[in-house]
Amino acid sequence: MAVEAWYMDISEEDQRKPHRLTPNEPVSLDQLKTLGVFHWKLNADIYETDPELEQIRRDHGYSFMDIIAIHKDTLPNYEEKLKMFFEEHLHLDDEIRYILDGQAYFDVRDKEERWIRIAMTKGDLITLPAGIYHRFTLDETNYTKAMRLFVGEPVWKAYNRPADDFDIRQKYLASLQEPGERAVMLSPLL
Ligand code: KMT
Ligand code: NI
């Protein structure tokens, strides 16, 4: 099953709602790839022993992992953190998340700065490239459990927009213009 994604409306309504356009304007996995966003579907029921997950971690050097349950009773400073997650930001490293339970939305900017909403459900693993502007929210179910993966010692620092002066931002923007470069810099397979 492919992950579902769509262009967002611009209403200021509750961030946890789907915010689809009418009619819906879907976004394909191939479109996401052109932004450097990659997706895998895995069997989250066996994440502790999953050879497919092991393979991905080996291939990409995702040596670090932890698990975060995002729910008001389990996450310290829940409200504050959710507010931070929904601020448009970037990181200096890739953001890799694997949904083990529940569901949530990752929003990413396309090349024209339009918001794309990616509906992540159990079994979806996604990689957002370093330098892409994005944000995260729970949906109306108000719960998800996610594995966070990282190459080496994790750095969770987020830089809220505007963060255009970072080299990694400029590199990311360049990668959008030059398909050859992008393939080298962003494809997890190379
Ligand atoms: C981020 O940086 O956007 C996040 O860590 C989102 C929450 S982790 C499921
Ligand atoms: Ni982030």
Side-chain angles (χ1 to χ4, degrees):
M1 252 292 280
V3 71
E4 204 192 349
W6 56 85
Y7 278 106
M8 293 183 74
D9 67 22
I10 53 161
S11 101
E12 296 286 312
E13 233 194 319
D14 186 352
Q15 68 189 54
R16 291 173 164 82
K17 295 197 181 241
H19 287 272
R20 288 175 191 271
L21 293 169
T22 27
N24 186 44
E25 195 178 327
V27 175
S28 69
L29 278 177
D30 280 345
Q31 283 171 279
L32 291 176
K33 273 186 200 162
T34 69
L35 303 175
V37 174
F38 293 86
H39 169 267
W40 288 264
K41 189 79 187 187
L42 300 176
N43 179 0
D45 288 328
I46 57 161
Y47 77 89
E48 285 168 289
T49 56
D50 184 6
E52 237 189 301
L53 176 62
E54 274 315 303
Q55 187 67 47
I56 292 168
R57 291 186 63 184
R58 260 198 309 277
D59 288 349
H60 304 284
Y62 299 152
S63 49
F64 175 92
M65 79 92 165
D66 71 3
I67 292 171
I68 175 173
I70 304 182
H71 183 271
K72 65 174 172 6
D73 301 330
T74 59
L75 188 69
N77 305 316
Y78 169 82
E79 294 291 347
E80 189 189 319
K81 284 204 182 112
L82 282 184
K83 224 178 134 185
M84 274 176 42
F85 291 155
F86 200 63
E87 294 279 335
E88 182 173 3
H89 65 270
L90 60 72
H91 307 281
L92 307 186
D93 305 280
D94 292 359
E95 178 166 325
I96 306 125
R97 299 289 184 269
Y98 176 24
I99 301 298
L100 300 177
D101 197 14
Q103 49 215 46
Y105 296 128
F106 284 88
D107 300 336
V108 298
R109 291 280 193 190
D110 82 350
K111 294 177 196 183
E112 281 83 45
E113 304 266 347
R114 295 172 71 198
W115 279 118
I116 295 170
R117 174 149 280 191
I118 306 167
M120 298 278 292
T121 60
K122 185 174 171 179
D124 287 322
L125 189 160
I126 200 163
T127 63
L128 309 182
I132 194 174
Y133 282 126
H134 67 279
R135 65 189 180 189
F136 168 91
T137 183
L138 291 175
D139 70 6
E140 289 166 291
T141 63
N142 283 314
Y143 165 70
T144 197
K145 188 165 95 175
M147 182 184 292
R148 304 190 293 185
L149 296 144
F150 204 89
V151 179
E153 271 307 294
V155 180
W156 307 126
K157 175 110 184 94
Y159 298 92
N160 287 348
R161 191 167 188 173
D164 298 316
D165 290 342
F166 286 105
D167 276 359
I168 195 71
R169 176 64 187 165
Q170 292 309 315
K171 254 171 115 169
Y172 174 68
L173 288 175
S175 78
L176 296 178
Q177 285 170 1
E178 302 156 38
E181 294 274 313
R182 185 184 63 247
V184 171
M185 194 180 93
L186 298 172
S187 167
L189 297 173
L190 293 173

